[in-house]
Amino acid sequence: MTRILFVCTGNVHRSVLAERLLAARLPPGSAVRPESAGTEAWPRPGMESSTRAVLEKLGGDGSGFAARPLTAQLVGEAALVLGLAIEHREAAVRLAPSAMRRCFTLKEFVRLAVGGVDEVRGGEGAATAQGGVPDGEGPRVVDGFDVVVAAAAGRRGAAAPVPLAEDDVADPRGRPHPVLYGCAREIDGAVSALARLLGGGASV
């Protein structure tokens, strides 16, 4: 089982949506296991009704969720750690410095991995600054989860920089419902690209 850990602040909106939307976009039998945690979260069962509503509108499953705090053990056990903002990526690295090459923001990872995979494959496509892919083009599938992560890590520091805010997903907490829904759509676009890039991972 290959664990992907999504991290936000409260494990209430952003990381929850990323976890459950990625699960919905992966094919049956995928060995990729999405999980989530929050830098300021505390253990509590159930999902907030507002989060569940937008999640289920986009085809995700809101059942059986429990919020939990981010720990060094969770970071260490994950094959890939994806913060929803730069502060979450940095928090994960502080907890487990040895995991630095496996820690990114979600949008940063998609942007770097797509470009890195294109270089490995000799392709011409490139990720957009928003963490997506060129219009009308999906990320190329690469066999091997480790290859995708290594491609992203290899391009960090070498790829053209983007404004820091472009690698973040803004926190919708306390904002009107349309803002939360827009956040969910943004996350869905990124995790859908991630699912295509991974090709579902290995089957189980």
Side-chain angles (χ1 to χ4, degrees):
M1 189 67 67
T2 301
R3 295 181 175 179
I4 296 181
L5 178 67
F6 294 100
V7 182
C8 71
T9 304
N11 199 200
V12 172
H13 295 307
R14 291 172 289 176
S15 60
V16 177
L17 290 165
E19 173 193 337
R20 294 306 176 95
L21 287 170
L22 177 58
R25 304 303 176 234
L26 291 168
S30 172
V32 173
R33 177 180 172 181
E35 302 180 341
S36 66
T39 57
E40 298 179 13
W42 65 91
R44 49 180 167 161
M47 185 179 296
E48 287 203 359
S49 59
S50 58
T51 306
R52 186 163 185 164
V54 296
L55 171 65
E56 293 181 346
K57 186 171 184 177
L58 292 173
D61 181 3
S63 64
F65 177 78
R68 59 182 178 174
L70 181 68
T71 66
Q73 181 176 350
L74 287 174
V75 175
E77 292 176 347
L80 179 62
V81 180
L82 299 176
L84 274 294
I86 292 171
E87 65 189 270
H88 308 127
R89 179 194 69 195
E90 293 176 345
V93 172
R94 284 195 298 271
L95 285 170
S98 63
M100 182 174 64
R101 285 180 61 84
R102 296 182 279 113
C103 296
F104 304 81
T105 74
L106 169 60
K107 292 170 69 176
E108 174 194 25
F109 182 77
V110 172
R111 173 172 59 82
L112 294 176
V114 172
V117 164
D118 283 330
E119 290 173 3
V120 170
R121 284 275 179 104
E124 297 179 354
T128 66
Q130 286 70 38
V133 293
D135 291 341
E137 183 177 326
R140 294 173 176 81
V141 173
V142 173
D143 295 329
F145 183 89
D146 292 342
V147 173
V148 180
V149 176
R155 292 192 76 234
R156 186 154 46 189
V162 301
L164 293 179
E166 291 194 5
D167 277 338
D168 287 0
V169 175
D171 190 356
R173 187 170 179 82
R175 305 290 301 281
H177 182 80
V179 175
L180 175 59
Y181 183 66
C183 173
R185 290 289 302 271
E186 181 181 10
I187 291 170
D188 192 25
V191 299
S192 294
L194 176 60
R196 292 192 299 269
L197 182 64
L198 296 177
S203 297
V204 293

